[in-house]
């Protein structure tokens, strides 16, 4: 009887609600949708065509942005994007004046397009007190080079204002095949450019000091990377990056997701060094 009364007392109450915010999965993507990460304290340049729709999102809030547009002749063309000129692109020029390699690569790319950055004008977007998830949209009325900057200096240790990433979504008027996707600037002058088809693997030889750049051309393609010591392999000895040895040498007691800056083989000899990871979600096995 007591049990029955206890059950009836809670019969009209709603079920408990979790206090944790649900984590969304991968964003839906159509064949015409492209997404680009604008790194905090960095900038990117993307080509658009007439009818393409752009949406810039401040995911974390409080991150100012600058939007620039240029036509095929390198002339300012913010009006062809439905944007307005709010002043000089001081944030972008400050980034390009720095010593970051990514900024230097962007400056060289814009220079090859005949763009005069000294007189660049921009529309300033978002504010330091902006809300998370704030967004703004534009539609291209011509063939343009669009530059998006997320300016910001290195955070002072006593402050809480680090530059954060922005998300640029482009809805193309016409879907583009994966082979048409523009590739990022190479880290160095390429000696070998190898395209690995889906569902296949390829082997290649590199020398000490050479850089290996692996690019996900169309997005959402998982891949595995393995390296062997060529001299030992010629003697029939297989030596490859070993995570257990690497963790021992760098003082990481427990396995965890992510990449080390350098990987060692079973003989405790260094094999490869990670110099750039634009994804941030890679892992080692």
């Amino acid at each position: 009887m007591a049990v029955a009364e206890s059950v009836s007392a809670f019969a009209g109450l709603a079920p408990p609600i979790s206090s944790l915010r649900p984590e969304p999965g991968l964003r839906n993507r159509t064949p015409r949708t492209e997404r680009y990460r604008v790194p905090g304290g960095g900038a990117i340049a993307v080509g658009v065509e007439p009818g393409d729709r752009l949406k810039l999102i401040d995911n974390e809030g409080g991150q100012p942005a600058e939007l620039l547009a240029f036509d095929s002749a390198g002339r300012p063309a913010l009006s062809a994007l439905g944007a307005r000129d709010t002043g000089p692109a001081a944030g972008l020029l400050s980034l390009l004046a720095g010593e970051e390699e990514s900024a230097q690569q962007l400056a060289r790319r814009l220079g090859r397009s005949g763009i005069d950055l000294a007189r660049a004008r921009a529309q300033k977007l978002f504010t330091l007190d902006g809300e998370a998830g704030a967004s703004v949209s534009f539609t291209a009325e011509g063939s343009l080079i669009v530059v998006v900057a997320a300016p910001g200096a290195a955070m002072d240790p006593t402050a809480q204002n680090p530059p954060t990433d922005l998300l640029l979504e482009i809805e193309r008027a016409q879907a583009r095949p994966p082979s048409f996707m523009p590739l990022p600037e190479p880290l160095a002058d390429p000696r070998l450019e190898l395209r690995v088809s889906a569902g296949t693997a390829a082997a290649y030889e590199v020398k000490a000091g050479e850089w290996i750049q692996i690019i996900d051309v169309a997005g959402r393609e998982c891949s595995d990377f393995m390296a062997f010591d060529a001299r030992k392999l010629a003697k029939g000895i297989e030596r490859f990056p070993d995570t257990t040895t690497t963790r021992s040498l760098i003082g990481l007691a427990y396995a965890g997701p992510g990449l080390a800056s350098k990987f060692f083989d079973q003989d405790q000899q260094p094999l490869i060094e990670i110099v750039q990871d634009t994804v941030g979600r890679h892992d080692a096995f």
Side-chain angles (χ1 to χ4, degrees):
M1 186 65 177
V3 175
E5 291 177 353
S6 177
V7 172
S8 62
F10 291 94
L13 298 179
I17 300 176
S18 173
S19 61
L20 297 177
R21 181 179 179 181
E23 287 289 338
L26 287 174
R27 296 174 181 264
N28 184 34
R29 188 183 73 173
T30 67
R32 295 187 296 140
T33 303
E34 300 174 13
R35 293 189 177 91
Y36 300 89
R37 182 180 68 91
V38 185
I44 65 170
V46 183
V48 297
E49 299 298 330
D52 291 349
R53 295 190 294 271
L54 294 80
K55 183 178 182 180
L56 185 62
I57 305 171
D58 184 5
N59 283 325
E60 300 185 35
Q63 175 57 55
E66 290 183 349
L67 177 70
L68 301 87
F70 304 92
D71 60 18
S72 57
R75 297 170 299 197
L78 279 171
S79 59
L81 198 60
R84 56 189 179 89
D85 180 354
T86 59
L92 175 63
L93 295 178
S94 176
L95 295 176
L96 297 181
E99 298 180 356
E100 287 290 336
E101 179 62 26
S102 59
Q104 300 302 318
Q105 291 179 0
L106 177 62
R108 289 193 294 267
R109 176 183 176 184
L110 297 178
R112 288 195 298 267
S113 300
I115 295 174
D116 183 8
L117 293 174
R119 295 182 296 175
R121 310 284 292 183
Q123 176 173 348
K124 301 184 186 303
L125 305 168
F126 310 131
T127 59
L128 289 173
D129 57 354
E131 295 183 358
S135 65
V136 61
S137 301
F138 303 92
T139 300
E141 300 177 357
S143 298
L144 305 171
I145 296 177
V146 175
V147 180
V148 180
M155 187 185 74
D156 186 274
T158 62
Q160 295 295 328
N161 58 343
T164 56
D165 295 351
L166 302 174
L167 176 65
L168 176 62
E169 294 184 344
I170 300 180
E171 186 74 17
R172 298 288 181 180
Q174 299 291 334
R176 304 195 296 181
S179 59
F180 186 78
M181 296 295 180
L183 300 180
E185 291 289 323
L187 297 177
D189 294 333
R191 175 177 65 83
L192 172 66
E193 188 170 286
L194 185 67
R195 181 176 289 266
V196 183
S197 301
T200 66
Y204 47 91
E205 185 173 350
V206 295
K207 300 178 181 179
E210 291 185 328
W211 292 29
I212 307 167
Q213 187 175 17
I214 303 174
I215 302 172
D216 183 3
V217 177
R220 299 194 178 188
E221 176 59 49
C222 296
S223 62
D224 291 333
F225 172 80
M226 178 61 75
F228 295 89
D229 188 311
R231 290 178 298 180
K232 295 179 181 178
L233 194 62
K235 301 177 182 178
I237 305 173
E238 293 186 359
R239 290 294 182 265
F240 47 85
D242 185 85
T243 54
T244 302
T245 303
T246 299
R247 289 200 309 272
S248 300
L249 293 178
I250 66 176
L252 185 63
Y254 296 98
L259 295 178
S261 62
K262 186 178 292 185
F263 282 88
F264 300 82
D265 65 10
Q266 295 89 333
D267 296 330
Q268 300 187 359
Q269 297 300 311
L271 276 183
I272 56 173
E273 180 181 5
I274 309 298
V275 296
Q276 186 183 83
D277 178 11
T278 63
V279 178
R281 296 182 181 179
H282 290 136
D283 202 358
F285 300 91

